C-alpha cells in the first residue's frame, strides 16, 4: 500500500479561544495562532507529532471541507508515550474530566496490548489517549 500515514485531519469549532486554551493546557503546540489572531490566516492547527489537526474557527467557510462537519463531530485517538497513570495525571493536572478508563482497548497496533482513557474537549469532541504496553 502506498498510503503510509495521516498528514492532517480537520474539525470545526464553536469557540476557537476555548479550544486553543484547552489544547495548550494539555501541552499541544498551536500552529499559526499568531497569524490567525492577526487575520492573516483563516485557520490554525494543533500539532500532534508528525500530524496536525486543522481547526476551522467560527464563521469559516471553504469549498474543500466536509459538507456536514459541525463542532463536536470529531473522535480522535492520540498515542500516549508513557504509562496510563502518567496520562491520567496529565489530564487531572489540566483539569480535564476523564469520562472512561483506563481500560483495555484494541488500537491500530493490533499486535500490542493497550489501555486508553477518554475525555471531551470544549466542543464535546471525543478524545482518547491510547497507551501501548
Amino acid at each position: 500500500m502506498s498510503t503510509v500515514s495521516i498528514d492532517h485531519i480537520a474539525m470545526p469549532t464553536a469557540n476557537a479561544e476555548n479550544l486553543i486554551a484547552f489544547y495548550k493546557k494539555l501541552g499541544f503546540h498551536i500552529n499559526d495562532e499568531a497569524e490567525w489572531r492577526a487575520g492573516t490566516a483563516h485557520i490554525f492547527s494543533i500539532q500532534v507529532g508528525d500530524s496536525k489537526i486543522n481547526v476551522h474557527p467560527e464563521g469559516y467557510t471553504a469549498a474543500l471541507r466536509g459538507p456536514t462537519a459541525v463542532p463536536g463531530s470529531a473522535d480522535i485517538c492520540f498515542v500516549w508515550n508513557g504509562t496510563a497513570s502518567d496520562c491520567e495525571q496529565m489530564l487531572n493536572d489540566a483539569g480535564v474530566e476523564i469520562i472512561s478508563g483506563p481500560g483495555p482497548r484494541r488500537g491500530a497496533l493490533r499486535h500490542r496490548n493497550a489501555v486508553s482513557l477518554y475525555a471531551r474537549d470544549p466542543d464535546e469532541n471525543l478524545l482518547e489517549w491510547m497507551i501501548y504496553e
Side-chain angles (χ1 to χ4, degrees):
M1 179 175 196
S2 295
T3 302
V4 296
S5 66
I6 294 174
D7 183 81
H8 69 276
I9 60 171
M11 67 181 186
T13 183
N15 187 317
E17 294 294 347
N18 284 348
L19 208 67
I20 288 171
F22 176 85
Y23 283 94
K24 280 184 166 182
K25 279 193 313 185
L26 294 174
F28 289 93
H29 175 75
I30 308 299
N31 300 318
D32 303 321
E33 179 183 359
E35 294 84 350
W36 173 73
R37 291 184 184 288
T40 59
H42 298 292
I43 67 170
F44 57 89
S45 63
I46 302 161
Q47 192 68 39
V48 185
D50 291 333
S51 300
K52 65 179 182 167
I53 303 167
N54 286 345
V55 179
H56 298 165
E58 315 88 309
Y60 176 78
T61 58
L64 296 176
R65 68 180 275 183
T68 59
V70 294
S73 61
D75 183 341
I76 304 167
C77 181
F78 304 108
V79 175
W80 177 262
N81 187 17
T83 67
S85 295
D86 291 340
C87 185
E88 191 170 5
Q89 186 64 51
M90 179 275 301
L91 293 169
N92 287 331
D93 288 349
V96 176
E97 178 187 1
I98 297 167
I99 60 172
S100 183
R105 298 288 184 268
R106 193 175 209 176
L109 303 177
R110 298 175 69 86
H111 62 281
R112 293 179 59 191
N113 293 329
V115 297
S116 70
L117 296 103
Y118 288 89
R120 294 199 181 273
D121 74 10
D123 285 319
E124 295 295 317
N125 293 302
L126 184 64
L127 307 178
E128 179 180 10
W129 281 264
M130 184 75 65
I131 302 103
Y132 288 98
E133 299 173 343

